[in-house]
Amino acid sequence: MTELIPVTIITGFLGSGKTTLLKRILQGDHGYRIAVIENEFAAESIDHGLLVQDSDEQIVEMNNGCICCSVRGDLIRILGELHARRAAGAIDFDHVIIETTGLAAPGPVAQTFFAEPSVSEFYMLDAILTVVDARHAQQQLTAHREAQEQVGFADRLLLSKTDLVSKAELAALRQRLAAINCRAGMQKLSFGNVPLRDILDIRGFNLNAIVELEPDFLGELGHRHGDGVQSFVYHQSQALDLLQVENFLDAVVQLFGTQLMRYKGILHVADLPCRAVFQGVHMLMGSELGAPWREDETRASTMIFIGRDLPQDMLIRGLDRCVAGAASPASMMAEVVAGAAVGVAA
């Protein structure tokens, strides 16, 4: 089987420092041969001229549209062409970086690596990196849905311009970001400088690499600022019935899939000696068996849900009913339908 080519998506709102980060990566001593796909909403881009190029870099621009909507077909085509040229020996690369426009929502881009066979056959989504402008993020998160979604989809949050805010302002921003996405690690980004081992080949979006879920920013999250995008963590110490979990989540995805941005979990399943692992993007969900439980470790389920206006109470009640022997599939379906009716009525 051909080894999949890892892909990193760099996103972040306008002016956050995405191109500065990309330039830093291309200049870094990391040994990767990188192909870059740039996306600019305008018809012309100056970023291409700002990036350092050498024989190890292939830079492709996508103009006249947002990568998450009108030119998504172009992304599929370009990824296909890059692979074809690589297979023919015309170019050589072992990693792809996609830099989105500051107005892009990362969800449709991520879905491409799940839903498009011609892409998933050759590429693997390694991680979504979101650059957050510490000086302007509070305002951007309040005013722009895209800024919230960029944070919500992130595997890593890279905080730029932290020298322009006070410690109290930075702490407040961290708290707000954690409320939106409690599973993404955060670290400062100074003029694009960040340890490359923390952002490349990290398998942040890879089912096979999930060993355990221990979010760094749990606990008291405080005021949620009214952000539509939020996250929460579900814990369950009792063993779950895998079939009931799958039936429940299938129903949830059918009803709330457009609101669910990212969801990921490790399940302690009755009579199963290893973890069951699942994750999804919107309405696309996958699962597989993970690493065996050790004899000395406590078995428990941990699930993280990130999305817009999530029916949190309903999800918790429904998952609680998935404890082995606790409920029937019919009662869980009734729970989902009742939750949907409440959401519509509200």
Side-chain angles (χ1 to χ4, degrees):
M1 181 177 177
T2 303
E3 186 173 355
L4 298 178
I5 303 167
V7 178
T8 299
I9 296 173
I10 298 178
T11 188
F13 206 69
L14 298 167
S16 60
K18 299 184 296 298
T19 300
T20 302
L21 171 62
L22 179 55
K23 183 177 180 179
R24 162 74 176 94
I25 293 172
L26 296 181
Q27 291 176 331
D29 183 17
H30 44 62
Y32 292 106
R33 297 178 299 277
I34 296 174
V36 177
I37 301 175
E38 288 188 87
N39 178 220
E40 283 295 330
F41 196 78
E44 295 185 9
S45 168
I46 63 170
D47 287 347
H48 188 93
L50 298 176
L51 299 172
V52 176
Q53 301 179 57
D54 60 31
S55 58
D56 288 339
E57 297 153 12
Q58 305 290 330
I59 299 179
V60 180
E61 289 186 351
M62 299 172 59
N63 296 336
N64 264 338
C66 177
I67 200 172
C68 68
C69 46
S70 61
V71 296
R72 184 177 169 196
D74 286 345
L75 173 62
I76 297 171
R77 174 183 56 79
I78 288 173
L79 287 169
E81 290 175 355
L82 283 173
H83 179 266
R85 293 175 63 194
R86 180 177 185 262
I91 57 175
D92 187 20
F93 62 92
D94 49 31
H95 200 105
V96 175
I97 294 178
I98 299 173
E99 181 191 1
T100 74
T101 172
L103 298 175
V109 185
Q111 280 185 297
T112 302
F113 295 88
F114 280 77
E116 180 55 47
S118 65
V119 173
S120 60
E121 182 180 1
F122 303 114
Y123 296 94
M124 172 196 68
L125 182 53
D126 183 56
I128 296 177
L129 312 178
T130 297
V131 184
V132 179
D133 178 346
R135 179 66 180 85
H136 301 100
Q138 292 281 16
Q139 177 184 359
Q140 291 167 348
L141 289 169
T142 299
H144 300 283
R145 177 187 180 122
E146 295 88 351
Q148 293 182 24
E149 295 197 359
Q150 289 164 358
V151 171
F153 272 99
D155 297 296
R156 294 286 189 277
L157 292 169
L158 305 176
L159 310 185
S160 66
K161 308 178 188 178
T162 56
D163 57 319
L164 301 180
V165 298
S166 67
K167 290 183 178 181
E169 289 172 325
L170 183 58
L173 175 60
R174 283 179 173 271
Q175 186 179 45
R176 186 173 184 180
L177 295 174
I180 295 174
N181 184 343
C182 61
R183 59 166 290 277
M186 296 185 206
Q187 59 194 109
K188 293 182 180 180
L189 178 71
S190 178
F191 298 99
N193 290 310
V194 64
L196 296 179
R197 65 178 179 276
D198 294 342
I199 60 174
L200 293 180
D201 202 24
I202 59 175
R203 299 299 191 266
F205 216 102
N206 186 2
L207 276 175
N208 297 318
I210 302 172
V211 177
E212 60 185 23
L213 285 170
E214 292 295 339
D216 296 329
F217 303 101
L218 300 183
E220 182 56 49
L221 296 180
H223 179 49
R224 291 182 179 267
H225 300 266
D227 292 326
V229 177
Q230 59 188 240
S231 63
F232 75 93
V233 182
Y234 174 81
H235 293 288
Q236 178 57 256
S237 59
Q238 300 182 68
L240 299 173
D241 183 302
L242 183 58
L243 179 59
Q244 293 194 22
V245 171
E246 290 178 344
N247 289 338
F248 176 69
L249 291 179
D250 282 343
V252 168
V253 166
Q254 291 302 313
L255 289 168
F256 302 102
T258 57
Q259 296 166 233
L260 282 167
M261 294 166 55
R262 293 281 302 271
Y263 43 106
K264 180 182 289 191
I266 291 173
L267 307 180
H268 166 32
V269 175
D271 302 321
L272 191 66
C274 57
R275 299 164 172 81
V277 180
F278 81 93
Q279 79 162 335
V281 178
H282 290 313
M283 300 185 72
L284 299 175
M285 180 172 61
S287 63
E288 63 183 27
L289 297 181
W293 296 102
R294 299 191 310 271
E295 291 294 333
D296 61 343
E297 81 181 306
T298 301
R299 300 186 183 189
S301 299
T302 303
M303 306 183 198
I304 293 174
F305 297 88
I306 304 170
R308 183 172 294 278
D309 302 321
L310 295 178
Q312 180 173 338
D313 291 341
M314 182 276 291
L315 285 168
I316 292 172
R317 290 194 302 271
L319 289 168
D320 283 344
R321 294 187 182 184
C322 294
V323 171
S328 68
S331 68
M332 286 188 297
M333 287 299 296
E335 181 74 35
V336 175
V337 172
V342 171
V344 171

